[in-house]
Amino acid sequence: MGEFNVHRVRFFDYMPSAIRALAFQPQRERIAVARTDGTVEIFNRADCFFQEKVIPGRQQAATEALAWVGDRLFSAGLNGEIIEYDLDNNKTKYTIDAYGGPIWSITSNKQGTHLAVGCEDGTVKLFEVHEDRIQFERNLAKQKGRIISLSWHPSGSKIVAGMMDVIHIFDTETGQSVQRLLVDRGVGTSRSQECVVWSVVYLSDGTIISGDSAGKVKMWDSRTGTLIKSHQVTKWDVLTLSVSQDETSLAVGTSEGHVVQFQFLSMVLGQEDKEWVRTRTFKNHTHDVRAVLEVNTAIVSGGMDTQFVVRPLLDKIDERGQASALRNIQFPHRRLVSCARKAGLLLFQYPGHLELWSVLTVKRKPEKLLHLKIKGEEHICCSAVSPCGGWIAYSTVASFRLYRLHCENNNVSIIKVSKLPKVLSSANQICFSSDSSHLFVASTCSSVHVAILNQSGCKFVCTLKPKSGERFYLVGNDMQRVIYCFRMFQPHCTVPVHSSGVSAMAIHPTTNNLFMVHADQQLTEYSVEKKQYTDWSRQVQRHGLHSLWLERDTPVTNVTFNPKNPAHIVLHDMYMFCIIDQTLVITRLPNTRSQFYNQLTLRSMPEKERKKHSHAFKMCKIFKELLFVELMEDQSLVVVERPLMDITAQLPAPVRQKKFAT
Amino acid sequence: MAALYESYTLCALADTGPEGTRAIEPDRDRDRVVITESGRAVTVYKVSDQKPLGSWTVKQGQCITSPAVYNPPTKEYVVVTDEKVSAEVYRLHSVPDREPLVLFRHGAVRFLDSLLAAPQQTIEEVLSEEEVIRWSAAVQMEQQLVLLFSTEQRGQHCLYVQRFSPNALVKHRLETDSTNSTPLSYAATYRDGNIHLLYLFSSGSVYESVLQARPTVPAVSGTVQALPRSLLLKLPVGEGELTAASALPVDESHIAVVGVPHPLAGAGKDYLCLWNTHFQTLQAARELAGKIYGQLWCFSGKLFVPHGKILSVIPFECQKSSLAAAMGKLKQTSGTNGITLSVWSCIDTRRHNNDNTLIIQLKMSTRNQSSCPTAEQLAEKIKVGSEKEVQKQVEEFLHGSQPEELQLTAGRLASALVMRCQADPTFYPQAAFTQLVQTNYLCHSGCPDLLVLTLEKNDFRLCQLCLQLFQDIPEAVTCCCLKTILSFQDSELEQVDLEDGLLFMKALTQTAEVSDDGDSGQHNGFSREPLALDMSCPVGLHKGALLNEVLQVPYSDSLLLPHLKDLNVPQVLLFLQYLRFLYLKYSQDAHSRIPALRKPTVTQIMDWVCLLLDAHFTVLALTPEAKSLLTSLHKFVRSQVKLYSELGKIEGSLEALKKSKQSREIGQYSIEVIELF
């Protein structure tokens, strides 16, 4: 395969923001994640926790809580607004003000008819969920102090609200408070501080479980209003609770970064009397666990340290496999870097600005050519630089911008293309054709707009629309299962549906084969000419991929081709990059017997023997925490790394630091 | 080492103010205490349950002036109200198995029964009008009872010692520490035939005076002598003087102190501290919330401290520490056998019991306790009984006794047995000794003559056991054992069953044969020939096994050296040959393949070789037979030195290997070249 010059880039200061809330949609197995910058991400539990959708946030967003009502996702935040999201178009559908000051929590009843929000002014507001909107219905009896947490009784007739030093139970029919539970403050110095009930859960048997800032998880009897049991879980705060759907297991997130599991077990074997017993402690976080979810076979947690952790409950999993592995999702499952292969430019996408860097000049140090701040509050949702380096495009939810770029001997000039076609108002994906003559913009309503780029500007050509209402993208990574191919801007064919979402795909410039990598690590190659899977793809499917390949837990986020050698495909995920040599596959696809990561072994062998032992997957694990890998025109590799240590260094100090021998 | 465990609250205290009489007295069983407080109420508590068992109060208007005590003969609690019997009573003192003592305010002392028999008797006045009793205590010695009380008169402090039958009162003067310094608390304990009086001054000094139980010189009446004393500890007081503080000895080397500031904590915080008086170190401390009253009691391993509005009970543990153990080399083989010994453990061998996989722990069953003889009975029996009877009785006793009991009595029984054996040459209950040793409660200091006796009786099995289990064998005895073993003929030892040690020796000699046969050729270009010349074991297997045990006995170089000189030349030569044999074997890596619970380590072997050569070098240099041995040792050492110097040369390259594994520091950007195959 040969030698590669590698530009190892570490100056992309990507910084994920902290996870604030999690919500689980059990029917479709989707997990919604809200981050502190207002971003909402949708993960598909059934599809290896693939990040299907990202709804970009905006400045001063302060999302506090999330709630699913059927397939609809709502959020509420400290700006006092309730937002419903348009999950088809990855944007906000509408926003309404609850007029109760900052909202601390939002929750829906099991029937899906009502939403309850807890406000700073001490009211619990009920909203009726209509087909296309939500409608304010009534206030429950106003209390003194803010409503921090809420939980509906599964019957929908009662609602429990956690406040400062007190928990109230409301009857939703009358709107009156029927019980008032006093929560003890912590001992010692925290006695003078109010005890914040960060989270409450109302179980169907009438038990209320609360977690508070005194570090206690308390079980209450809602009928008598008495404390049944109190567990001191931590010295700090218990921030979040989540109960499993069958109400036998409870996950507790604390501010020292631990997740503690409680289980509803009978104390004596064979007897009916059951009690909540503290069973396990998971220490996967370094900072506050702000949100936790109990999803039957796993505990999902997230917090200040920005990691999305899926901790499987091994007692509920029979087989070893994808489901039994600990998952720690740190990077987004999409590209934040784009690359001008010919010009040697890298475009880094930050939430509020873009940075353009020149690499690929061996003699000069890489330098920052451009720092492009965007206007408005919305965060960037996608960006691209054309392969020739002459155009930059980015889009927020509200606007689309195209810039003409001139780079000559350190002189960088940038001109905004002013007269854009009206249809180009926003984009989910942006793509330039390989000769930089066309711009493809994937937009709302499942359409792709095509525009011609020339010296004078940008001219709209046509809009590609699928026949059915499904959405698609021509090239790029999207989560929709149906892929359409267009040829000469005419519908050409439909790629057969695969069970798992596409994490990265690309059309080969010479052979016109569409190469796809799925979230479950499967590889497929589809011949656009013949409208069928290629022989290589069939062979791979028949042979099966190596188990070590399938066990990787981060999806491939970029696919490119070697311009010099059409048989070489370059892929990467977070921990490795790989060059697949399609010429080798027929004889030497790695099977389970052969060594998969064999580069070191091959290095130590004499040249004659190497051929005998090499296989199609050239795995390279030298570089870690990869955000981007691209093979440039001159056969050099650009590798963008973001060491997790650097991310950790930017986090605030954790509340509990591990001391020696404690 | 000492440790304070988690404390718990026994009861809440009524706010009595500084004048309230509050006292805690032991009750009839170890787990109960009698608490007198607030001047009106007496409560009996069960300590482990933290529960009151009973409570009494006196009538309105009456006041308890002396704390309630338990009267063992009548099984009653006795209390004095409003100071009155026939004269003003200072205090009652409970005495085990006897009537309580009554101490009157003016120094007279009576037993309670004699007082109650004649309530109107006249009570003499011993003390002058202005002399006030500050403290009193009754100390029960083996046969004798002593009442101590201290008085104050115009800043002058005196100690009175009242002895009974015949009654005698001796007065001592207590010297004050410095100007304005007053004694704050006293504590008296009976230990080793003497009364140890410990007193704490407000300057922070803790003094100890030793009073002999029986005064050898009759007190000269009329003169008051100052009490000889020694400064035990100078507690850090900080600024000012102590006001309410108390010191209490908890064992011979530890004292508990309350009301003295912690040397590291700031002012205004109150601590309970455990100090080691031998090493003058603070061993443990516990912060106490609330006001300190300067009161402290200690019953059955628990400290009772009133502070704030509660009475806390703090269990503690003081392990015995000994300098001999700290200085001696407690060499233990590490790794496979899993015996771990702490340096502080030579007195109390019982504690390693859990770690020691080698020792068969005897099952202590309590079921035949009734038929089981007491230690006293057994000791008597040992003096007269036949060997068989004694054997049986000891066995029964071991089966029927509690571990705590055994710990106290094992040494005594063994001593009794040894004494009998020494007096009667035909008497030697070997099995009884073995069982006693195997309880693990025995140590050399417990019965110093046992090991010597085993040598006299040529009982090498028991000797081996003792060498294995005793951690405090004096170097002289170790040498004596060594000498006896070396001088014995191999043929005479062959009958002894040495179990594991023998297996190790067998394995060691067998591997020698195998490796001699198999590896005669060259190894990596290195020939072993010159080293493998003299590989047959110079001693018999049994003797070797016993010598191995000697090698593993803890010792101290400088103490061992003079005794080693007692060995004669043939013994030294034989032992050196054996050590060389072992060392050659070990350098061939043979030992690591042999699974044995106990085996000497290479360092132990080398240390013994060095010691032996140090002790006898001039003699060996002049002995023609030793010449070949010394040259071969020299040769071997030289080859080892050479090996290490060669290793030193390649050290640099080995370091480089280690470094190459460490990842480099990578900056923001770098260009690298990778090759894919």
Side-chain angles (χ1 to χ4, degrees):
Chain A
M1 184 128 302
E3 284 188 353
F4 293 92
N5 278 330
V6 181
H7 299 267
R8 189 173 195 172
V9 171
R10 290 187 168 201
F11 44 75
F12 179 25
D13 297 326
Y14 164 70
M15 186 65 203
S17 53
I19 293 177
R20 185 63 196 84
L22 293 169
F24 183 51
Q25 212 283 352
Q27 286 82 37
R28 304 188 62 171
E29 303 209 69
R30 297 299 196 273
I31 295 168
V33 178
R35 293 186 185 263
T36 43
D37 65 349
T39 313
V40 172
E41 295 161 5
I42 310 287
F43 289 84
N44 186 348
R45 194 182 83 93
D47 191 9
C48 305
F49 288 92
F50 184 57
Q51 190 184 44
E52 285 188 335
K53 291 176 208 263
V54 177
I55 301 163
R58 55 200 180 87
Q59 281 167 26
Q60 275 116 40
T63 313
E64 272 291 312
L66 287 172
W68 288 94
V69 178
D71 288 348
R72 297 162 67 181
L73 181 65
F74 294 87
S75 80
L78 295 182
N79 52 9
E81 289 171 343
I82 304 171
I83 299 170
E84 181 174 0
Y85 294 98
D86 177 358
L87 295 179
D88 290 330
N89 295 316
N90 292 0
K91 62 178 194 181
T92 304
K93 199 164 168 186
Y94 59 85
T95 302
I96 66 166
D97 199 316
Y99 299 108
I103 301 175
W104 289 90
S105 65
I106 183 167
T107 173
S108 67
N109 61 355
K110 211 170 186 179
Q111 293 70 30
T113 58
H114 285 84
L115 275 172
V117 295
C119 302
E120 175 79 15
D121 68 353
T123 53
V124 176
K125 292 171 192 291
L126 294 190
F127 286 82
E128 203 175 343
V129 181
H130 294 295
E131 193 90 329
D132 54 344
R133 294 201 74 79
I134 56 170
Q135 174 86 44
F136 174 72
E137 193 180 88
R138 65 191 298 185
N139 276 335
L140 302 185
K142 186 170 175 173
Q143 302 297 326
K144 209 173 159 189
R146 59 183 71 118
I147 309 281
I148 300 288
S149 50
L150 286 173
S151 176
W152 290 86
H153 188 263
S155 70
S157 63
K158 288 216 178 104
I159 194 163
V160 58
M163 300 177 62
M164 316 293 279
D165 286 334
V166 71
I167 297 171
H168 276 279
I169 304 171
F170 296 99
D171 190 321
T172 50
E173 294 292 318
T174 63
Q176 293 307 308
S177 166
V178 291
Q179 280 283 8
R180 183 163 161 273
L181 316 174
L182 285 177
V183 183
D184 283 346
R185 294 183 179 185
V187 288
T189 50
S190 57
R191 181 165 281 280
S192 54
Q193 293 165 0
E194 283 180 312
C195 180
V196 186
V197 181
W198 286 117
S199 187
V200 284
V201 169
Y202 207 151
L203 302 184
S204 51
D205 65 356
T207 306
I208 290 171
I209 304 176
S210 70
D212 56 42
S213 62
K216 291 194 176 98
V217 171
K218 293 182 168 174
M219 321 299 177
W220 310 81
D221 188 331
S222 67
R223 279 174 285 267
T224 56
T226 49
L227 181 67
I228 305 169
K229 186 105 190 179
S230 173
H231 295 268
Q232 183 82 43
V233 171
T234 170
K235 274 200 278 185
W236 313 101
D237 292 21
V238 170
L239 292 174
T240 171
L241 302 171
S242 170
V243 75
S244 63
Q245 282 176 291
D246 57 1
E247 296 187 351
T248 58
S249 171
L250 173 81
V252 177
T254 70
S255 60
E256 58 190 326
H258 297 175
V259 174
V260 179
Q261 194 196 5
F262 283 82
Q263 279 176 292
F264 198 50
L265 301 171
S266 52
M267 298 306 286
V268 181
L269 200 68
Q271 278 194 9
E272 281 298 294
D273 292 348
K274 287 190 173 178
E275 250 183 71
W276 284 99
V277 185
R278 180 177 170 164
T279 49
R280 271 173 282 201
T281 304
F282 305 116
K283 300 176 183 175
N284 297 99
H285 293 276
T286 55
H287 289 70
D288 295 18
V289 177
R290 300 299 297 265
V292 70
L293 270 186
E294 161 87 61
V295 269
N296 300 335
T297 59
I299 289 179
V300 178
S301 54
M304 286 296 289
D305 60 358
T306 76
Q307 301 172 18
F308 179 84
V309 174
V310 181
R311 177 82 196 205
L313 297 172
L314 293 176
D315 54 337
K316 293 183 179 162
I317 298 166
D318 298 331
E319 281 175 37
R320 188 167 167 273
Q322 284 283 5
S324 66
L326 173 74
R327 240 167 231 282
N328 197 339
I329 300 173
Q330 279 134 339
F331 288 170
H333 294 165
R334 65 199 166 110
R335 268 165 33 187
L336 297 175
V337 181
S338 56
C339 174
R341 291 171 78 162
K342 289 171 187 148
L345 300 174
L346 285 177
L347 183 72
F348 298 143
Q349 176 189 326
Y350 292 90
H353 68 274
L354 296 170
E355 279 181 13
L356 188 72
W357 289 72
S358 76
V359 283
L360 264 208
T361 40
V362 178
K363 290 191 188 99
R364 278 217 312 262
K365 280 195 160 184
E367 56 182 330
K368 187 157 135 186
L369 302 176
L370 189 68
H371 184 101
L372 187 63
K373 274 193 88 168
I374 60 153
K375 284 191 179 146
E377 287 197 331
E378 306 286 340
H379 288 165
I380 300 173
C381 62
C382 57
S383 63
V385 58
S386 67
C388 66
W391 303 86
I392 289 177
Y394 79 84
S395 173
T396 65
V397 170
S399 65
F400 179 86
R401 295 262 196 289
L402 181 67
Y403 294 91
R404 185 91 179 96
L405 191 70
H406 290 283
C407 268
E408 271 169 41
N409 301 331
N410 292 343
N411 288 330
V412 180
S413 64
I414 183 164
I415 307 156
K416 184 181 163 193
V417 179
S418 53
K419 281 184 199 162
L420 282 176
K422 279 220 175 93
V423 288
L424 300 181
S425 60
S426 75
N428 288 332
Q429 284 283 344
I430 303 169
C431 175
F432 290 94
S433 63
S434 56
D435 57 358
S436 306
S437 64
H438 286 79
L439 170 70
F440 305 96
V441 176
S443 178
T444 54
C445 308
S446 315
S447 55
V448 172
H449 308 295
V450 184
I452 286 183
L453 302 170
N454 52 31
Q455 287 301 321
S456 60
C458 171
K459 203 179 141 204
F460 177 69
V461 179
C462 64
T463 296
L464 312 177
K465 279 202 167 199
K467 275 177 238 147
S468 68
E470 298 276 358
R471 297 174 315 126
F472 70 100
Y473 295 124
L474 184 71
V475 171
N477 46 348
D478 187 44
M479 306 76 203
Q480 290 306 307
R481 300 278 162 77
V482 182
I483 296 159
Y484 298 88
C485 286
F486 291 84
R487 205 170 188 202
M488 302 307 288
F489 312 130
Q490 293 300 315
H492 181 66
C493 63
T494 308
V495 178
V497 176
H498 187 270
S499 63
S500 177
V502 174
S503 67
M505 64 183 184
I507 294 179
H508 199 285
T510 50
T511 60
N512 261 352
N513 289 339
L514 175 67
F515 194 91
M516 290 166 286
V517 189
H518 298 272
D520 63 357
Q521 311 296 356
Q522 291 295 338
L523 307 171
T524 50
E525 194 187 31
Y526 187 78
S527 168
V528 177
E529 309 272 336
K530 295 179 188 159
K531 300 186 186 178
Q532 62 182 23
Y533 284 119
T534 60
D535 290 345
W536 185 85
S537 182
R538 286 168 200 278
Q539 230 153 20
V540 169
Q541 290 303 320
R542 207 166 41 239
H543 220 96
L545 286 159
H546 197 281
S547 59
L548 288 176
W549 174 270
L550 295 174
E551 275 169 18
R552 293 176 310 115
D553 65 348
T554 50
V556 170
T557 48
N558 193 19
V559 176
T560 53
F561 304 96
N562 186 348
K564 298 272 159 63
N565 188 341
H568 288 177
I569 302 161
V570 184
L571 314 171
H572 82 88
D573 66 9
M574 187 176 155
Y575 296 105
M576 62 95 211
F577 81 86
C578 163
I579 299 179
I580 298 176
D581 189 345
Q582 286 186 308
T583 56
L584 281 176
V585 72
I586 297 158
T587 50
R588 255 170 239 122
L589 192 75
N591 56 28
T592 43
R593 276 185 306 261
S594 63
Q595 192 188 2
F596 187 60
Y597 297 108
N598 64 350
Q599 287 296 320
L600 275 177
T601 323
L602 291 178
R603 183 187 297 273
S604 61
M605 281 180 179
E607 196 149 350
K608 283 176 197 163
E609 277 184 49
R610 276 183 198 156
K611 274 210 161 147
K612 213 162 76 189
H613 289 92
S614 63
H615 57 68
F617 288 75
K618 315 293 182 194
M619 307 288 286
C620 176
K621 299 193 87 169
I622 297 171
F623 310 106
K624 292 220 171 70
E625 291 122 8
L626 293 171
L627 279 169
F628 185 72
V629 174
E630 179 77 280
L631 193 59
M632 308 299 258
E633 287 283 285
D634 62 349
Q635 293 285 295
S636 64
L637 275 164
V638 172
V639 170
V640 180
E641 286 182 297
R642 178 61 179 159
L644 294 177
M645 287 295 289
D646 296 358
I647 293 180
T648 318
Q650 291 190 28
L651 294 172
V655 291
R656 180 182 178 275
Q657 267 163 339
K658 174 86 181 151
K659 292 205 183 75
F660 179 69
T662 53
Chain B
M1 298 306 289
L4 292 171
Y5 295 123
E6 201 58 46
S7 68
Y8 51 88
T9 303
L10 184 63
C11 62
L13 298 174
D15 196 14
T16 57
E19 294 307 311
T21 44
R22 178 184 299 133
I24 304 174
E25 288 282 344
D27 199 353
R28 68 189 106 175
D29 82 33
R30 292 162 57 88
D31 199 26
R32 290 164 62 168
V33 291
V34 187
I35 297 179
T36 310
E37 66 157 327
S38 77
R40 292 194 55 224
V42 177
T43 317
V44 177
Y45 280 93
K46 189 158 173 66
V47 178
S48 58
D49 295 351
Q50 304 168 46
K51 258 187 200 156
L53 297 175
S55 179
W56 302 272
T57 46
V58 292
K59 280 185 207 135
Q60 192 77 40
Q62 284 185 323
C63 181
I64 298 177
T65 51
S66 166
V69 295
Y70 180 64
N71 183 0
T74 57
K75 299 202 168 74
E76 288 168 338
Y77 296 97
V78 187
V79 71
V80 180
T81 56
D82 298 336
E83 296 183 336
K84 279 293 179 190
V85 182
S86 27
E88 283 189 12
V89 174
Y90 175 71
R91 234 194 124 124
L92 294 171
H93 284 284
S94 173
V95 184
D97 308 323
R98 286 178 82 163
E99 281 288 325
L101 277 172
V102 184
L103 173 64
F104 290 92
R105 210 165 267 287
H106 289 292
V109 181
R110 296 279 188 284
F111 280 106
L112 182 64
D113 50 354
S114 68
L115 186 66
L116 292 177
Q120 294 309 314
Q121 62 183 282
T122 50
I123 305 297
E124 71 275 11
E125 296 203 348
V126 179
L127 305 178
S128 62
E129 264 309 312
E130 289 171 21
E131 213 168 352
V132 188
I133 300 180
R134 289 288 175 218
W135 164 84
S136 63
V139 181
Q140 171 78 49
M141 294 180 285
E142 275 147 331
Q143 304 298 328
Q144 225 191 344
L145 180 66
V146 171
L147 183 76
L148 301 169
F149 57 95
S150 75
T151 62
E152 187 187 356
Q153 184 180 23
R154 286 197 293 269
Q156 184 108 38
H157 296 269
C158 291
L159 179 80
Y160 290 83
V161 182
Q162 170 80 52
R163 292 183 170 81
F164 300 92
S165 58
N167 281 12
L169 184 68
V170 181
K171 182 178 177 185
H172 297 278
R173 190 158 46 80
L174 285 177
E175 284 171 294
T176 45
D177 184 35
S178 60
T179 50
N180 301 329
S181 171
T182 50
L184 288 178
S185 86
Y186 301 85
T189 43
Y190 172 68
R191 206 162 64 223
D192 317 323
N194 295 317
I195 297 168
H196 293 252
L197 181 72
L198 188 91
Y199 40 105
L200 167 71
F201 278 94
S202 57
S203 61
S205 309
V206 180
Y207 286 96
E208 188 185 48
S209 295
V210 180
L211 297 163
Q212 283 173 322
R214 286 168 217 278
T216 43
V217 187
V220 185
S221 58
T223 58
V224 177
Q225 286 180 325
L227 194 64
R229 64 181 188 182
S230 55
L231 181 65
L232 266 191
L233 203 61
K234 185 90 175 90
L235 293 169
V237 176
E239 289 165 26
E241 292 200 319
L242 303 174
T243 48
S246 185
L248 197 65
V250 291
D251 72 6
E252 59 248 66
S253 56
H254 291 91
I255 60 169
V257 182
V258 75
V260 176
H262 191 286
L264 299 177
K269 287 186 176 170
D270 286 310
Y271 277 87
L272 169 71
C273 301
L274 275 183
W275 287 84
N276 186 316
T277 51
H278 282 175
F279 305 126
Q280 310 264 317
T281 49
L282 178 63
Q283 299 274 334
R286 173 74 47 83
E287 192 180 342
L288 300 171
K291 188 188 167 194
I292 291 280
Y293 302 96
Q295 286 175 305
L296 182 65
W297 292 269
C298 172
F299 302 115
S300 57
K302 297 181 192 77
L303 289 166
F304 293 72
V305 198
H307 61 96
K309 292 195 169 175
I310 55 171
L311 174 70
S312 286
V313 179
I314 306 172
F316 67 93
E317 186 190 48
C318 293
Q319 294 185 350
K320 298 232 171 59
S321 51
S322 106
L323 200 55
M327 281 179 68
K329 286 186 183 178
L330 281 173
K331 290 189 176 176
Q332 278 311 123
T333 49
S334 56
T336 49
N337 60 1
I339 299 172
T340 50
L341 276 171
S342 74
V343 179
W344 304 100
S345 58
C346 90
I347 306 294
D348 184 6
T349 45
R350 153 98 181 95
R351 273 197 305 282
H352 335 122
N353 200 3
N354 299 337
D355 299 335
N356 203 330
T357 49
L358 189 118
I359 291 142
I360 310 126
Q361 202 182 344
L362 287 173
K363 285 263 189 297
M364 306 295 176
S365 64
T366 49
R367 64 197 136 80
N368 52 358
Q369 213 159 21
S370 53
S371 66
C372 151
T374 64
E376 287 73 26
Q377 290 168 341
L378 191 54
E380 287 303 311
K381 195 86 182 173
I382 285 167
K383 285 182 188 157
V384 290
S386 75
E387 194 172 315
K388 262 195 183 156
E389 274 173 12
V390 169
Q391 181 86 50
K392 196 162 160 263
Q393 294 263 328
V394 169
E395 197 169 326
E396 273 175 16
F397 178 75
L398 289 179
H399 275 280
S401 312
Q402 296 298 318
E404 306 83 52
E405 202 181 334
L406 267 181
Q407 180 150 22
L408 297 173
T409 51
R412 201 166 135 206
L413 288 180
S415 300
L417 283 170
V418 171
M419 267 164 72
R420 172 82 195 277
C421 292
Q422 283 166 339
D424 178 3
T426 56
F427 181 84
Y428 185 67
Q430 202 252 359
F433 277 126
T434 311
Q435 281 173 342
L436 272 172
V437 172
Q438 280 178 338
T439 55
N440 247 351
Y441 295 114
L442 219 52
C443 57
H444 187 270
S445 8
C447 53
D449 297 327
L450 177 60
L451 194 52
V452 183
L453 182 76
T454 62
L455 295 176
E456 279 168 17
K457 300 279 180 188
N458 298 335
D459 181 0
F460 288 104
R461 171 71 190 127
L462 188 58
C463 176
Q464 185 199 23
L465 265 182
C466 294
L467 287 172
Q468 281 176 358
L469 298 182
F470 292 177
Q471 299 301 327
D472 54 346
I473 302 173
E475 282 77 358
V477 179
T478 312
C479 269
C480 184
C481 288
L482 182 64
K483 206 170 169 179
T484 318
I485 295 164
L486 284 171
S487 58
F488 244 78
Q489 292 299 317
D490 280 326
S491 52
E492 290 176 64
L493 284 170
E494 265 167 33
Q495 307 307 320
V496 188
D497 173 28
L498 295 174
E499 292 181 356
D500 183 63
L502 203 58
L503 290 178
F504 173 71
M505 282 308 290
K506 271 184 187 156
L508 198 67
T509 45
Q510 267 165 14
T511 52
E513 283 153 26
V514 170
S515 61
D516 277 358
D517 298 340
D519 296 344
S520 54
Q522 297 220 322
H523 251 287
N524 292 337
F526 168 76
S527 168
R528 282 189 188 168
E529 282 311 312
L531 302 177
L533 272 177
D534 185 19
M535 286 306 268
S536 61
C537 185
V539 296
L541 296 182
H542 290 76
K543 197 185 268 186
L546 286 170
L547 288 175
N548 287 348
E549 299 298 347
V550 175
L551 291 182
Q552 292 167 73
V553 169
Y555 65 89
S556 171
D557 293 355
S558 47
L559 297 175
L560 187 65
L561 207 58
H563 299 292
L564 269 183
K565 290 190 202 275
D566 294 347
L567 298 178
N568 61 31
V569 176
Q571 286 168 344
V572 172
L573 274 180
L574 184 65
F575 194 32
L576 259 187
Q577 274 168 0
Y578 176 66
L579 287 171
R580 183 185 60 155
F581 162 77
L582 272 185
Y583 187 56
L584 290 178
K585 281 284 167 208
Y586 271 51
S587 62
Q588 285 184 359
D589 214 21
H591 68 294
S592 60
R593 291 197 295 269
I594 302 167
L597 288 173
R598 282 173 65 89
K599 53 191 175 190
T601 62
V602 184
T603 22
Q604 280 170 343
I605 297 166
M606 279 321 285
D607 285 346
W608 273 93
V609 170
C610 295
L611 275 174
L612 213 55
L613 288 175
D614 278 351
H616 291 276
F617 189 75
T618 41
V619 182
L620 287 172
L622 295 170
T623 314
E625 299 90 63
K627 203 181 169 190
S628 64
L629 180 69
L630 288 180
T631 37
S632 84
L633 271 175
H634 179 231
K635 215 175 177 178
F636 191 74
V637 169
R638 209 169 51 192
S639 71
Q640 295 268 299
V641 169
K642 205 173 164 191
L643 171 70
Y644 282 105
S645 74
E646 294 298 317
L647 281 175
K649 280 179 197 165
I650 62 165
E651 194 184 2
S653 12
L654 293 173
E655 276 293 311
L657 268 178
K658 207 170 158 190
K659 270 185 192 158
S660 71
K661 291 238 169 179
Q662 287 164 1
S663 64
R664 300 156 293 137
E665 189 66 27
I666 304 159
Q668 292 244 297
Y669 175 76
S670 59
I671 296 185
E672 291 169 21
V673 178
I674 60 161
E675 196 178 6
L676 293 176
F677 300 98

